[in-house]
């Protein structure tokens, strides 16, 4: 399944340091998700916020299949490092997390599923579910690690299956080893042959850091 979603937003002025989460919420925005955990190895509970703009002008009518209205308000992922008496901005990203609705596909549900911190790593989980217009369902995971003063994407995985045929396609990228594990031939239905085949491929992508604009993979 091919998908290309790229969102460019102008820079939003937020404080570099504050004692409370509310200081990082611009007027007209709100926090829709937050999670705490140590991300830089100092045994302090850092925080990750997902912010969403609240502009009625970005809620548009849907003239095609799907929901009657589409919320296309932009979102921001913001990482805060815990300090002695507050938090310090580590990085903010306005391109990784898409809006709740896709103006070009009203059948796509909100892709953002979860944001979590585990063993010092930040994971962003997406679910790609179409109520109409596509037989495919999928999910994707992005795994980031803080090193050399930046958040590096160290792993990416994508899994999808066809709701009619049961066909499974999946791959997992390890950016530390530069290898992709691609699995094909699987099937989710018991009545169909399940013959998964694994192929290893060499990655040619350059490293991606969370402080850079992101473009969704098309394979």
């Amino acid at each position: 399944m091919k998908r290309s979603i790229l969102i460019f937003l102008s820079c939003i002025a937020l404080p570099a340091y504050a004692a409370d989460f509310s200081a990082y919420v611009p007027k007209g925005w709100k926090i829709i998700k937050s999670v705490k955990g140590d991300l830089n190895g100092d045994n302090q509970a850092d925080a990750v916020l997902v912010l969403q703009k609240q502009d009625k002008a970005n809620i548009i009518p849907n003239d095609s299949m799907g929901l009657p209205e589409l919320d296309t308000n932009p979102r921001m992922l913001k990482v805060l490092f815990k300090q002695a008496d507050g938090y310090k901005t580590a990085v903010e990203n306005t391109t990784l997390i898409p809006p709740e609705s896709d103006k070009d596909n009203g059948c796509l549900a909100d892709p953002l599923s979860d944001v979590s911190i585990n063993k010092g790593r930040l994971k962003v989980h997406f679910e790609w579910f179409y109520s109409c217009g596509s037989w495919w369902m999928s999910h994707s995971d992005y795994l980031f690690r803080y090193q050399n003063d930046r958040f590096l994407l160290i792993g990416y995985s994508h899994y999808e299956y066809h709701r009619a045929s049961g066909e499974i396609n999946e791959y997992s990228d390890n950016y530390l080893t530069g290898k992709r594990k691609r699995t094909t031939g699987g099937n989710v239905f018991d009545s169909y042959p399940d013959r998964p085949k694994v192929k290893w491929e060499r990655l040619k992508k350059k490293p991606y850091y969370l402080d850079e604009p992101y473009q969704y993979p098309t394979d």
Side-chain angles (χ1 to χ4, degrees), residues 3 11 21 28 47 49 72 79 113 123 126 129 134 151-152 175 177 197 199 202 207 216:
R3 170 184 304 113
C11 182
F21 287 172
L49 310 179
T72 64
V79 180
S113 177
K123 178 186 285 188
F126 295 110
F129 174 78
S134 176
F151 280 91
L152 172 68
Y175 293 101
T177 63
K197 297 180 180 179
K199 179 181 179 182
R202 175 65 61 179
Y216 281 81

Side-chain angles (χ1 to χ4, degrees), residues 35-49:
V35 63
K36 291 183 178 182
D38 184 14
L39 286 168
N40 58 355
D42 63 356
N43 295 317
Q44 297 291 317
D46 305 314
V48 178
L49 310 179

Side-chain angles (χ1 to χ4, degrees), residues 148-210:
N148 300 322
D149 299 324
R150 299 177 76 185
F151 280 91
L152 172 68
L153 179 66
I154 62 173
Y156 170 79
S157 63
H158 180 79
Y159 173 97
E160 64 183 15
Y161 75 91
H162 195 278
R163 286 178 280 181
S165 68
E167 175 190 353
I168 298 173
N169 293 309
E170 59 181 314
Y171 62 90
S172 177
D173 296 345
N174 186 324
Y175 293 101
L176 299 179
T177 63
K179 293 182 179 180
R180 166 177 289 182
K181 180 183 179 181
R182 186 184 294 275
T183 305
T184 58
N187 199 287
V188 297
F189 299 140
D190 293 336
S191 57
Y192 286 78
D194 185 14
R195 302 188 183 95
K197 297 180 180 179
V198 174
K199 179 181 179 182
W200 290 93
E201 302 170 355
R202 175 65 61 179
L203 290 172
K204 298 180 180 179
K205 300 177 181 179
K206 69 175 185 178
Y208 170 71
Y209 294 89
L210 196 56

